[in-house]
Amino acid sequence: MRLYNTLTRAVEDVVPVEPGHVKMYACGPTVYRYAHLGNLRTYMLADLIRRALRLEGFTVTLVQNVTDVGHMTDESSPEAIDKMLLAVEDEGLQPLEIAEKYTRSVIEDAAALGIDEPDVSPKATEHIPEMIGLTKTLIDRGHAYVVDNGSVYYDVASFDGYGKLSGNTLDKLREGHRDLETDPRKHHPADFALWKAAGPGRLMKWPSPWGDGFPGWHIECSAMSMEFLGDRIDIHTGGTDLRFPHHEDEIAQSEGAVGHRVVSIWVHGGHLRQAGQKIAKSTGNVVRVQDLVDRGIDPLSFRWLCFQTQYRSEMDFSWAAMETADQRVKQLRRRMSEWAPAAEALGAEAADFDTRFRAALADDLSFPAAVRIVNELVSSPSVPGGVPGGEKYALLAAWDAVLGLDLQREAIGGWTPTAEMRALMNERDEARQAKDYATSDRIRDRLTSMGLEVMDTAGGTQVRPRD
RNA sequence: GGCGGGGUGGCCGAGUGGUUUAGGCAGGGGCCUGCAAAGCCCCGCACACCGGUUCGAUUCCGGUCCCCGCCUCCA
């Protein structure tokens, strides 16, 4: 298995520190609003890496945090508004109720998209002591300092490798600095909060050695990743926007605390755009799982849409492309039911397809190549010397462990026409045999109006639900 | 201003120093059919612009234009 490492800017082999067992950490959702498809694409990425690794025979442990601490709209301003607090005001709920509501919603949306749950989903609010502990360690090791109001800042100048992930090294940061108002107590403008003193009216706050306050944005990931996975983590994923400052700061924290490299491979997923702009709450162009459902699109079809684009690339979302993908997935399921049951063994041709599919996934998760292989398999001849239907079924069923498209749904689900439908089908066949086409066409219209697709086959009239 | 990533045929989107250079959808033609549908077969010869390297570049290098992300919360 090879993955592109943002840190080294190269595709690297995944070589877990513990042989055969890959430890993954994924930056997860902030739960004061609904997740949109862009967020979910990134969560899906972590799951796809896990699925592909498992197909390769690895054991995988995936930890994904739930950020239920509100962060500031603007870290540098004293008048900054807490986003969690905004949600609290808008919805008339308590912070924990807000968190619960949206946590549940994200879990549901992820499930609808076939994203398997992480092995562990720690909540930030339940690990405040670990964050305080890590902050103490950083102070002790000379990487952080306390200022007079009780906030604690990370001293970026104390960490040699600062900037290695994003390219934003300290000299570059100084050079290209935007005129931001920063806390004058900071030693360097790029210093960031590990712990923030609670201002008046702050709802979520905890006691600490430096007074009541709340954790900085980046510390939760350092603290929880190392708590659950140790200080040698094989893969860390997140959206490309987290590359700087979030992941850069996370590296400074984790490595500053333990004194050595913590994460081996950093994987960043590309953003979803719509009409050229990234999908975001602030842009006002969010698309949610519910929007897919409202349009009669199977949410799992969003997976197929995503598979066509390399995970690292930005992807433009359009309803036209989404509907095309949906049609294709539904078509695949229909073909599966035609090919059932699965063959017991694979012939040479089928085995070759299998090898190519697995190689595509192992090559930096090349889903576009995998999609092509699926398409080739589907349209390959089922004649002797080709791939018989039963083998196609067996292959696609196996690949579905990664694709997650529920391809066997129709074949297994066994949709069957009702007695009424069967009676009409018989009537139509009789009319057709008698060449009474006026009657047969009328019956076809009747079946069509029942939401069915009518097909003539060698065995007579067949119907299936129209998608 | 700094950092990072892009511009491919009607659309979505892979990929590659040349020789058969994806795939899907839409579109055109055909087979099949009583007619449709479904299925099958055939058809597009693209790579922002300008230079350079090369026998040869869409692919490598330089420049130009444009787009997107990050630098404030962000997947």
Side-chain angles (χ1 to χ4, degrees):
Chain A
M1 183 76 186
R2 292 153 53 75
L3 286 174
Y4 181 83
N5 189 350
T6 309
L7 187 65
T8 58
R9 290 171 205 191
V11 176
E12 293 179 5
D13 279 319
V14 175
V15 183
V17 171
E18 183 187 320
H21 181 190
V22 178
K23 293 173 183 162
M24 288 182 66
Y25 186 87
C27 277
T30 46
V31 287
Y32 48 80
R33 61 178 177 208
Y34 290 114
H36 58 252
L37 256 28
N39 299 320
L40 290 158
R41 182 191 184 200
T42 301
Y43 308 146
M44 188 162 79
L45 169 61
D47 183 44
L48 290 172
I49 293 172
R50 176 170 60 171
R51 285 172 181 249
L53 285 167
R54 284 180 176 161
L55 190 72
E56 292 266 294
F58 288 101
T59 302
V60 185
T61 302
L62 172 62
V63 177
Q64 182 174 45
N65 64 299
V66 173
T67 300
D68 56 354
V69 182
H71 292 293
M72 298 288 134
T73 49
D74 180 354
E75 292 276 356
S76 61
S77 161
E79 289 86 35
I81 308 160
D82 181 324
K83 286 189 170 180
M84 181 69 85
L85 198 62
L86 282 176
V88 165
E89 285 174 358
D90 285 352
E91 305 195 30
L93 298 173
Q94 288 304 299
L96 282 178
E97 292 172 329
I98 293 280
E100 261 175 49
K101 171 181 171 181
Y102 290 106
T103 301
R104 209 177 314 122
S105 154
V106 171
I107 290 170
E108 282 168 11
D109 286 349
L113 293 182
I115 300 168
D116 290 339
E117 285 190 45
D119 298 289
V120 188
S121 305
K123 293 178 179 170
T125 52
E126 293 172 4
H127 298 273
I128 303 290
E130 288 82 358
M131 299 181 210
I132 291 173
L134 188 58
T135 301
K136 274 193 217 160
T137 302
L138 287 168
I139 294 170
D140 292 345
R141 289 177 63 100
H143 286 302
Y145 54 94
V146 186
V147 298
D148 55 20
N149 72 345
S151 289
V152 183
Y153 284 109
Y154 191 96
D155 177 13
V156 291
S158 73
F159 184 70
D160 281 342
Y162 197 83
K164 63 185 174 183
L165 183 69
S166 64
N168 288 321
T169 50
L170 294 182
D171 51 325
K172 297 281 172 53
L173 279 170
R174 218 183 316 268
E175 193 180 313
H177 208 260
R178 295 200 309 193
D179 42 14
L180 280 176
E181 291 174 34
T182 59
D183 187 335
R185 290 169 286 222
K186 285 185 183 179
H187 296 351
H188 185 287
D191 287 354
F192 55 91
L194 297 172
W195 187 261
K196 294 276 277 185
R202 175 88 201 166
L203 286 177
M204 301 179 92
K205 59 184 175 186
W206 294 264
S208 82
W210 317 285
D212 284 0
F214 58 100
W217 175 34
H218 319 294
I219 194 75
E220 70 173 88
C221 288
S222 286
M224 298 198 290
S225 66
M226 292 198 287
E227 179 185 352
F228 289 97
L229 296 170
D231 59 13
R232 303 275 183 186
I233 296 165
D234 301 303
I235 300 172
H236 188 128
T237 67
T240 185
D241 55 332
L242 296 186
R243 187 172 179 185
F244 186 85
H246 184 58
H247 289 331
E248 193 70 66
D249 290 350
E250 196 180 321
I251 289 174
Q253 292 168 342
S254 299
E255 299 191 2
V258 300
H260 60 73
R261 175 113 167 240
V262 174
V263 170
S264 299
I265 300 183
W266 287 91
V267 178
H268 291 100
H271 278 151
L272 200 59
R273 297 183 308 185
Q274 194 169 24
Q277 283 200 301
K278 83 163 176 171
I279 286 186
K281 182 82 176 282
S282 52
T283 319
N285 60 350
V286 297
V287 182
R288 301 207 288 118
V289 170
Q290 188 59 48
D291 296 322
L292 300 180
V293 174
D294 289 347
R295 290 193 183 223
I297 289 165
D298 184 334
L300 292 181
S301 299
F302 179 66
R303 299 173 72 85
W304 186 257
L305 182 68
C306 289
F307 293 163
Q308 288 166 262
T309 308
Q310 173 70 15
Y311 71 87
R312 267 184 280 130
S313 302
E314 289 181 354
M315 176 179 136
D316 212 73
F317 180 88
S318 74
W319 286 107
M322 183 65 255
E323 272 152 21
T324 296
D326 189 48
Q327 280 174 29
R328 183 62 174 167
V329 168
K330 287 168 178 169
Q331 184 189 39
L332 285 173
R333 292 189 187 127
R334 288 201 301 267
R335 303 303 298 275
M336 285 291 275
S337 64
E338 291 163 16
W339 295 325
E344 301 279 323
L346 297 182
E349 283 281 313
D352 185 50
F353 270 106
D354 196 34
T355 303
R356 289 173 57 208
F357 182 84
R358 288 163 189 266
L361 294 187
D363 177 22
D364 194 25
L365 230 56
S366 295
F367 274 94
V371 161
R372 177 188 160 178
I373 293 163
V374 168
N375 288 332
E376 266 185 47
L377 175 69
V378 167
S379 57
S380 71
S382 295
V383 296
V387 181
E391 294 184 26
K392 285 179 180 166
Y393 187 101
L395 279 176
L396 287 166
W399 297 349
D400 207 29
V402 177
L403 299 175
L405 298 169
D406 198 13
L407 292 176
Q408 299 182 79
R409 181 186 292 173
E410 281 203 30
I412 291 176
W415 182 89
T416 49
T418 63
E420 184 196 1
M421 292 171 189
R422 282 200 304 276
L424 286 167
M425 288 157 66
N426 283 334
E427 259 183 71
R428 179 163 184 272
D429 285 339
E430 282 165 21
R432 290 190 69 224
Q433 277 184 357
K435 300 206 188 298
D436 178 2
Y437 296 122
T439 301
S440 77
D441 287 353
R442 196 164 55 243
I443 299 172
R444 179 165 63 197
D445 289 345
R446 176 91 184 279
L447 288 165
T448 301
S449 71
M450 293 166 80
L452 301 172
E453 186 158 33
V454 181
M455 299 162 292
D456 286 341
T457 70
T461 300
Q462 294 288 311
V463 297
R464 66 186 178 208
R466 237 185 357 249
D467 298 318

